[in-house]
Amino acid sequence: PLPDGRVRIYAGVPDNGRDGDPSTGELTIAIQALTGADVRLHEPRYQWRVRLHNSIAGRFRAGRCLFAGDTAHTVMPVTAQGMNTGVQDAFNLGWKLAMVVSGRARPELLDSYEAERRPVAEALLAHTERAYWGGAGPAPDFASIYERLHHINANHTGIPLSYPDSPRVPIFTGDWTLLVPPGAQFPDAPDWVRRIANDDESGWSLVRPDGYLAARGELGEPDAVTACLGSIATGQLVR
């Protein structure tokens, strides 16, 4: 429902090869077929025909050219996750570009962008295809629709998102952050390391600039932090 007594209607139908905006008659036939009711449409304000695509780029990097957002993956606007996924792409790529451009990491680090983000895009495309019906086939039964909607709501939070090849935790920082328990001492740690007290940690945790956990270790092993950062700087994924 919209203001002034208007209603926005979406009808998903198989591609019939037609171009241009649909006529009111075509829309009426489609809506009647979907609802089984004698629906009458009149005084349309906007009428659009859109061909939906669910596709992913063959690769996310070609030399100095990197793809993010809709250039990397085009998703049907069914689960409303396309823009969120594009923003996540940019955040993931941004800190890696900054490290490479500033000379703190080798260019190979940029290869980890596709390694981490392509599985997310592929999962989104598969999820969208499962969620989409739009009248292009027989209507699913109510129980199936309810179950899918419940599952979609759980995934819409973004909390389940992770990169299995380099596990991390979801907090946001502006730079690399080392989490340690209160009172822990790292006398030889570099000046840039910021220590944040965390009562729930039994060891140290190193968090990337995009808020994901890069590595964990036991207290008294500061060399492991340096080794972790060294592996990232050379473009290797951390396990």
Side-chain angles (χ1 to χ4, degrees), residues 100-135:
V100 172
V101 170
S102 64
R104 292 188 292 164
R106 290 167 53 182
E108 287 80 3
L109 177 63
L110 299 178
D111 293 333
S112 68
Y113 164 64
E114 176 167 358
E116 292 181 347
R117 295 303 301 168
R118 173 175 284 275
V120 176
E122 291 175 341
L124 174 61
L125 263 63
H127 173 63
T128 302
E129 289 179 353
R130 290 195 302 268
Y132 180 70
W133 163 62

Side-chain angles (χ1 to χ4, degrees), residues 47-130:
Q47 296 175 208
W48 292 314
R49 187 190 311 277
V50 179
R51 284 185 170 84
L52 303 180
H53 296 273
N54 232 26
S55 57
I56 188 169
R59 51 182 171 168
F60 285 11
R61 182 188 182 191
R64 290 170 56 86
C65 182
L66 295 114
F67 302 99
D70 288 351
T71 60
H73 39 75
T74 303
V75 188
M76 293 186 293
V78 176
T79 58
Q81 293 296 296
M83 184 182 71
N84 292 351
T85 304
V87 172
Q88 293 161 5
D89 289 345
F91 211 122
N92 185 289
L93 181 58
W95 70 268
K96 295 174 181 177
L97 279 172
M99 287 193 67
V100 172
V101 170
S102 64
R104 292 188 292 164
R106 290 167 53 182
E108 287 80 3
L109 177 63
L110 299 178
D111 293 333
S112 68
Y113 164 64
E114 176 167 358
E116 292 181 347
R117 295 303 301 168
R118 173 175 284 275
V120 176
E122 291 175 341
L124 174 61
L125 263 63
H127 173 63
T128 302
E129 289 179 353
R130 290 195 302 268

Side-chain angles (χ1 to χ4, degrees), residues 14-38:
D15 193 337
N16 53 21
R18 297 179 181 177
D19 292 317
D21 294 333
S23 66
T24 303
E26 183 183 352
L27 283 172
T28 300
I29 292 173
I31 297 300
Q32 288 179 346
L34 288 172
T35 63
D38 186 22

